[in-house]
Amino acid sequence: MLRLALKMLFGDSAKYLMLVAGLAVATFLMAQQTAVFCGLMSWTKSTLKNVPAPIWVVEDRVEQVNETNPLLDTDVARVRSVSSVAWASPLYSGIQRVRLESGSFKVIQLIGIDANTLAGAPAKMLGGDLMKLRLPHSVIIDDLGVQRLASKRGEKVGLNDVFEINDQEARVVGIADAVTSFTGGPYVWTTYERALQYVPAQRKMLQAVICAPREGVSLDQAIADIRRETGLKAFVNREASFEEFLGQMRGQPTTNFNVSTVWWYIKNTGIPISFGITVIVGLMVGIAVSCQTFYSFVLENMRHLGALKAMGTSNSTLCLMLITQAFTVGIIGYGIGLLGTAGFAFAALKNEQPPFYMPEFVPFAVLAVILGICTLAALMGIWRVSRLEPAMVFRS
Amino acid sequence: MSTPDDLKIAAKLRGIQKSFGDGESRIQVLKGIDLDVRSGDITMLVGPSGCGKTTLISIIAGTLAADEGQLTVFGQDLRRLSPAGTTRFRAKNIGFIFQAFHLIPTLTCVENVSVPLLIQGISHSKAEKKAKEVLEKVGLAERFHHRPSQLSGGQQQRVAIARALVHEPRLIICDEPTAALDAHNGHIVMELFEHVARGQDRAVLIVTHDNRIFHHANRIASMDDGRVIEVHDVDAAHPPPDHLSVHERL
Ligand SMILES: Nc1ncnc2c1ncn2[C@@H]1O[C@H](COP(=O)(O)OP(=O)(O)OP(=O)(O)O)[C@@H](O)[C@H]1O
Ligand SMILES: [Mg+2]
C-alpha cells in the first residue's frame, strides 16, 4: 500500500514539485542563513585565530577582541613579572587604511608584534620569510591581501611589492595563511614599533599583551595569577565549544576570549535578529507551502482515500500512507535544499566571502525542523481522513 | 444458530431503519427494511430516485451504521464488530463497484485492480499476477499499464469490476454498474456477474435503473419511500417485467 501511496504522490507531479520546492527553499534558507550567521560570528574572533597566543591580557572593560581600549606601555613588563608567565609581548591590533598605487583605499586589519620574539606571527607562511619582518618597512600580508591590495582588479600582490599605509611605505616580505577578518579586510602583520609609526599618533597604543604560561602551569591558573598580581583582565585563547555558549546563555562568566567575543556580538548587535528573521521566514515558507499544498493534495485525493477506506483499508494504513507521502517529500526537499546549501558553501569558501561556517548540529536541526513540518502536514491530512465517511463513496 | 438455509443467505436484514439530520431537518430514509440477499443469486434493487437504495447498500456494506434493526452478513452480526473489525470484514468479504468508479487516476489498471489484495497484505508480485488474470477475463489484456484516463467509460467500468472481483469476495455490491455502458457491453458485464454469482456461489447485489438487464436477475426487490414494497422472483414462469410498478408511478 505504501508503494501505491508513493505512486499517488509522484503521479500528481504539480503538487509533488511544489512540495519538494517549498521544502527545499525552506531547508536552504534555514541552513544557509544559519551557516552565514555562524560564519560571521566566527569572523569576529579571526584575530584570535590569526594571532596564536594562549593568553590575552586586556584592559579591564574589554569584552571582545575587536574592541580598542588600550593598556599602558608599562603593562607588558608587569605581566612579564608574574611568576607563572613564561613570556609576554606587546600587541597592536587595529583597523587602518591602505593607499594603493592606483590611489584607491582599502581597509586592513593591522597587527603589530614584538620584533624580538615575533610572538603573534602567523602560524603558517605561504611564501616569503618571516624573519625579514625585522627589516625596515617590512610587512606580511595574508592570502586575501594578495588579491585585495593589488592596484588593479585581477592582479596579485607579490613579494617585494610596495604599498602605503598612511603615507608610509610598506614592503611585502611574506604571505601568510589567515582566516578572514570581521571587517572582511586582509590581515597585515608588522612589528610593534613600526605599527606605531604607521598609525597616527595616539597617547596609548598597546591593545593587548599576549603571553604564555610557564611549563607546568595551567592556562586557568596563569590567568588567575595575572589577574591577582596585575589587576588586568586576562583571557585564554582556545577553541570555543558549544557547551561554553550554552553557559553564556545561562549567564555564566567566561574566561575564553573566543566565547566572550562571539557572545558580545550576539548580545550587542542586531546580527542575530536579522538572521533569525530570515530563518523564521524560511520556516514559515516551509510550513505555509508544505502544509497548504499537502492538505490540498489530501483533499483532492479524498474520493480515492474514501474508496480505499470503503474497500477495507484501515485507518492506520491510511495514516501510514499519508506519513510516507509527507516524509518522502520532506527527505527529498531537504536533500535538494542541503545540496543547494553545499553549492553555496563551496562558492563561499572558495571566495572566502561571504562568511560560511556550518556547525555539525545545523543539518540535523534543519532536518528535524523539516520533518516536523512534514509531520504537521501529515497530521492535518490524517485529521481530515479520520473524519472521512466511507459511505460517501457511494455518492458521486 | 445458523440453519442450512441461513448459509445460503449472504445478507439478512430485519427492520433496518436509518435517519439523517437532527431535530426539524431530520428525515427518515429507511423505514424498516426486511430483505434477504441469497448466495448464488443476482439480486437487483430498483426504485425511484431518493428512495434510499444507496443508503441501504451502504449499510449492508458496513460503511454506514443503521439506527435500528438487525443485519447479519454471512452470519456475522455487523453491529457486534468494532470499527476496525468491520473494516477488516469488509476488506475480506465484500467487493465494491461504485457509481463513479473511483479508480485512482495516478495508478495503472493493474495497480488499481490489485488494491483489494494489497489491502489484505498480499505481496505486490502476487497481487499484480492475480490482477492481470482478472483483467484478462474482463477483456482488458491489452490495457494493463494504461491509466484510467486513457480508457473509455466502459473500459473503466470493467476495470472497476475487475477490482471488485479480484479478491474473490463473497458479496459483490454494485451501484448502477451498467449505467455507463452500451447494451452490448452491459450484457458482457452482466454475463460476468452471472458467471461469478452462479458458478462460484457468491451473492451479487445490484442497484440499477437499467431495465435492459432485468432479465439477468434472480430476484428484483422494489423499493419506495424507504421500504421494500415488492420482491419479484425471476424464473421461467415469472419473466421480469419491462417496467416495474414503482417506475410507472414516477
Ligand atoms: N448523508 C446524508 N445526509 C442527509 N441526507 C442524506 C444523506 N444520505 C442520503 N440522504 C438522503 O436520503 C435519501 C435517500 O438517498 P439515497 O442516496 O439512498 O437515494 P437513492 O435511492 O440511492 O437515489 P438515486 O437513485 O438518485 O441514487 C435522499 O433524500 C437523500 O437526500
Ligand atoms: Mg443512489
Side-chain angles (χ1 to χ4, degrees):
Chain A
M1 288 308 280
L2 298 185
R3 211 149 108 182
L4 294 191
L6 291 182
K7 287 218 157 186
M8 287 168 76
L9 175 69
F10 298 145
D12 189 348
S13 43
K15 290 231 163 46
Y16 168 68
L17 290 179
M18 183 88 172
L19 279 166
V20 167
L23 290 165
V25 168
T27 301
F28 180 78
L29 280 181
M30 288 190 281
Q32 182 258 14
Q33 287 291 306
T34 310
V36 171
F37 172 74
C38 293
L40 199 57
M41 286 300 113
S42 77
W43 276 11
T44 64
K45 56 188 172 66
S46 295
T47 303
L48 288 170
K49 184 103 186 163
N50 291 335
V51 181
I55 294 177
W56 285 57
V57 182
V58 289
E59 207 269 345
D60 204 36
R61 280 161 295 180
V62 169
E63 285 179 63
Q64 52 110 338
V65 69
N66 301 311
E67 202 172 340
T68 51
N69 230 332
L71 299 164
L72 296 172
D73 288 339
T74 52
D75 285 337
V76 183
R78 290 176 63 212
V79 173
R80 208 169 273 152
S81 69
V82 174
S83 56
S84 51
V85 168
W87 56 261
S89 299
L91 184 81
Y92 171 80
S93 168
I95 294 166
Q96 293 299 329
R97 289 205 309 172
V98 163
R99 199 169 78 95
L100 305 179
E101 232 173 84
S102 61
S104 63
F105 288 93
K106 283 277 154 67
V107 169
I108 59 161
Q109 185 75 37
L110 185 64
I111 303 290
I113 58 174
D114 186 44
N116 293 324
T117 61
L118 295 180
K124 189 177 165 204
M125 296 292 289
L126 299 174
D129 185 359
L130 177 62
M131 296 308 156
K132 285 189 182 162
L133 196 61
R134 297 186 178 120
L135 300 177
H137 308 301
S138 303
V139 295
I140 292 172
I141 64 174
D142 68 7
D143 43 346
L144 182 66
V146 168
Q147 295 157 32
R148 288 295 177 79
L149 299 179
S151 6
K152 287 201 202 101
R153 261 191 100 91
E155 282 185 6
K156 285 188 171 174
V157 178
L159 293 175
N160 289 321
D161 283 0
V162 171
F163 54 87
E164 281 179 8
I165 305 174
N166 293 325
D167 298 331
Q168 295 177 64
E169 186 186 325
R171 179 178 297 276
V172 177
V173 297
I175 292 163
D177 190 22
V179 293
T180 311
S181 74
F182 185 49
T183 55
Y187 274 88
V188 175
W189 280 264
T190 188
T191 62
Y192 183 71
E193 276 70 29
R194 200 170 308 120
L196 301 193
Q197 290 162 21
Y198 282 139
V199 175
Q202 287 162 19
R203 211 160 51 81
K204 294 192 286 183
M205 300 289 280
L206 183 66
Q207 293 306 336
V209 176
I210 53 177
C211 62
R214 225 175 261 294
E215 268 221 32
V217 180
S218 74
L219 287 171
D220 293 319
Q221 181 60 48
I223 60 170
D225 291 347
I226 294 167
R227 180 79 194 170
R228 196 178 57 249
E229 293 180 30
T230 66
L232 297 171
K233 195 174 190 174
F235 282 107
V236 299
N237 178 12
R238 65 172 162 235
E239 279 296 322
S241 71
F242 190 61
E243 286 71 32
E244 284 178 282
F245 287 108
L246 290 181
Q248 290 291 285
M249 267 180 227
R250 289 192 220 98
Q252 290 161 8
T254 183
T255 54
N256 186 342
F257 213 11
N258 288 283
V259 176
S260 180
T261 297
V262 169
W263 192 251
W264 186 89
Y265 280 91
I266 290 177
K267 216 171 48 182
N268 294 299
T269 67
I271 300 169
I273 294 177
S274 61
F275 279 91
I277 287 173
T278 320
V279 170
I280 289 172
V281 166
L283 184 67
M284 291 307 198
V285 168
I287 291 178
V289 173
S290 322
C291 291
Q292 146 77 31
T293 311
F294 193 72
Y295 192 63
S296 71
F297 171 74
V298 170
L299 284 189
E300 239 166 63
N301 275 302
M302 219 45 169
R303 295 184 322 122
H304 312 310
L305 294 172
L308 290 177
K309 201 164 173 174
M311 287 189 285
T313 310
S314 64
N315 271 332
S316 53
T317 304
L318 287 175
C319 291
L320 220 56
M321 289 173 72
L322 293 184
I323 289 171
T324 306
Q325 290 169 337
F327 275 42
T328 302
V329 287
I331 303 280
I332 293 174
Y334 171 78
I336 293 174
L338 214 59
L339 224 59
T341 312
F344 178 88
F346 190 71
L349 294 179
K350 194 157 163 252
N351 292 336
E352 310 214 0
Q353 186 90 283
F356 192 97
Y357 164 63
M358 190 182 290
E360 301 91 73
F361 77 89
V362 171
F364 294 106
V366 173
L367 179 61
V369 171
I370 292 292
L371 293 185
I373 294 175
C374 294
T375 309
L376 189 68
L379 282 179
M380 280 169 64
I382 287 170
W383 169 76
R384 193 67 186 72
V385 167
S386 68
R387 297 187 337 167
L388 178 69
E389 275 278 358
M392 78 166 224
V393 292
F394 285 111
R395 327 201 161 274
S396 61
Chain B
M1 283 290 101
S2 49
T3 66
D5 232 20
D6 279 349
L7 290 176
K8 290 288 288 177
I9 294 180
K12 181 170 175 175
L13 293 78
R14 292 293 176 268
I16 294 289
Q17 296 187 24
K18 178 74 187 174
S19 311
F20 289 109
D22 273 315
E24 295 256 307
S25 63
R26 184 180 170 91
I27 46 162
Q28 189 163 18
V29 177
L30 300 181
K31 300 174 178 171
I33 300 274
D34 297 334
L35 183 67
D36 290 334
V37 181
R38 294 192 304 229
S39 287
D41 272 3
I42 293 179
T43 305
M44 290 191 188
L45 200 57
V46 299
S49 181
C51 70
K53 305 182 295 292
T54 299
T55 307
L56 183 62
I57 59 168
S58 304
I59 287 173
I60 298 172
T63 59
L64 195 66
D67 298 336
E68 290 290 331
Q70 285 162 355
L71 167 63
T72 55
V73 180
F74 300 114
Q76 173 68 55
D77 184 350
L78 282 194
R79 304 185 72 167
R80 293 234 181 124
L81 288 176
S82 65
T86 312
T87 306
R88 268 196 305 277
F89 184 82
R90 202 157 63 220
K92 189 164 182 319
N93 294 299
I94 300 179
F96 291 96
I97 298 164
F98 309 107
Q99 204 162 357
F101 310 158
H102 289 300
L103 298 173
I104 297 173
T106 46
L107 303 184
T108 64
C109 292
V110 170
E111 286 162 348
N112 264 298
V113 172
S114 38
V115 164
L117 297 172
L118 297 175
I119 289 174
Q120 292 187 49
I122 289 166
S123 77
H124 254 268
S125 50
K126 273 191 190 155
E128 297 210 338
K129 188 161 166 277
K130 187 80 210 278
K132 284 177 180 168
E133 283 172 27
V134 180
L135 275 170
E136 269 169 20
K137 274 191 200 151
V138 298
L140 288 175
E142 250 91 89
R143 295 282 185 274
F144 287 169
H145 301 294
H146 286 62
R147 300 262 172 98
S149 59
Q150 297 166 314
L151 303 178
S152 71
Q155 287 170 328
Q156 290 183 33
Q157 182 69 297
R158 280 187 272 159
V159 176
I161 290 166
R163 184 175 66 178
L165 301 179
V166 72
H167 56 309
E168 296 173 2
R170 290 194 284 171
L171 173 60
I172 296 152
I173 293 180
C174 326
D175 208 351
E176 306 277 2
T178 57
L181 304 182
D182 58 30
H184 176 66
N185 279 309
H187 279 293
I188 292 179
V189 163
M190 287 313 300
E191 271 164 19
L192 206 67
F193 281 141
E194 283 182 342
H195 176 73
V196 168
R198 303 212 177 106
Q200 298 165 18
D201 210 27
R202 297 172 200 282
V204 178
L205 178 61
I206 299 174
V207 170
T208 187
H209 285 106
D210 187 356
N211 58 16
R212 296 173 306 181
I213 63 169
F214 284 168
H215 65 275
H216 291 281
N218 302 95
R219 308 177 88 200
I220 300 177
S222 304
M223 279 183 74
D224 195 11
D225 193 24
R227 289 195 175 81
V228 175
I229 52 167
E230 187 191 342
V231 178
H232 182 102
D233 281 296
V234 181
D235 50 43
H238 305 87
D242 279 345
H243 308 284
L244 285 153
S245 50
V246 282
H247 282 202
E248 281 164 348
R249 270 192 267 139
L250 263 177

